[in-house]
Amino acid sequence: MRIYITSVFVDDQEKALRFYTDVLGFQKKHDIPMGEARWLTLVSPDAPDGTELLLEPSGHPAVPPYKTALVQDGIPAASFAVDDVRAEYDRLRKLGTEFTQEPLEMGGVTTAVLDDTCGNLIQIVQGA
């Protein structure tokens, strides 16, 4: 058994697509119209056949309170591995990305938390 898809709820799929591709560097894998929404998945350019990230519309009534609670408590909706958190933090800041947590070392792990502009906090991790 392996992880095939994981998802993050987004307020606007098109805005999320631009942020996750143009800023974070993921690549679009699937973009299939499904009525008012799309089956929109992304992959890491380093693993095009790897785990897909689904940019899931936030339309279900349970999603807004869930997302709001996570953000208010500073809990990331997803976590992405990077080779160098500090370098990625600097790169993303230059692109205008806002962070709620600057790089922080905790034992053998360094993390930072960013705002994805679509209603989520996203953690980047090095050394996990």
Side-chain angles (χ1 to χ4, degrees):
M1 187 175 302
R2 59 185 171 23
I3 298 170
Y4 162 56
I5 285 183
T6 189
S7 62
V8 62
F9 292 108
V10 297
D11 299 336
D12 179 321
Q13 284 185 302
E14 190 58 37
K15 181 179 178 183
L17 177 61
R18 285 190 306 271
F19 182 81
Y20 280 78
T21 57
D22 297 346
V23 177
L24 296 185
F26 290 103
Q27 294 177 338
K28 181 169 51 172
K29 178 142 186 183
H30 297 288
D31 189 351
I32 303 166
M34 302 197 63
E36 294 180 19
R38 297 145 64 182
W39 180 259
L40 184 57
T41 67
L42 310 173
V43 292
S44 167
D46 295 338
D49 294 322
T51 303
E52 296 177 40
L53 177 65
L54 174 63
L55 299 178
E56 182 83 34
S58 294
H60 189 281
V63 173
Y66 167 75
K67 285 175 57 173
T68 298
L70 289 179
V71 170
Q72 286 177 347
D73 290 345
I75 300 171
S79 184
F80 304 134
V82 297
D83 293 331
D84 185 333
V85 166
R86 292 185 191 287
E88 195 65 13
Y89 171 84
D90 291 340
R91 182 187 79 78
L92 292 170
R93 292 271 306 184
K94 288 177 186 171
L95 293 172
T97 303
E98 294 185 22
F99 280 78
T100 61
Q101 177 200 304
E102 295 182 4
L104 177 64
E105 292 183 30
M106 297 174 284
V109 176
T110 303
T111 66
V113 179
L114 61 95
D115 180 337
D116 78 349
T117 74
C118 302
N120 302 292
L121 298 178
I122 302 294
Q123 182 178 62
I124 56 175
V125 180
Q126 170 190 345

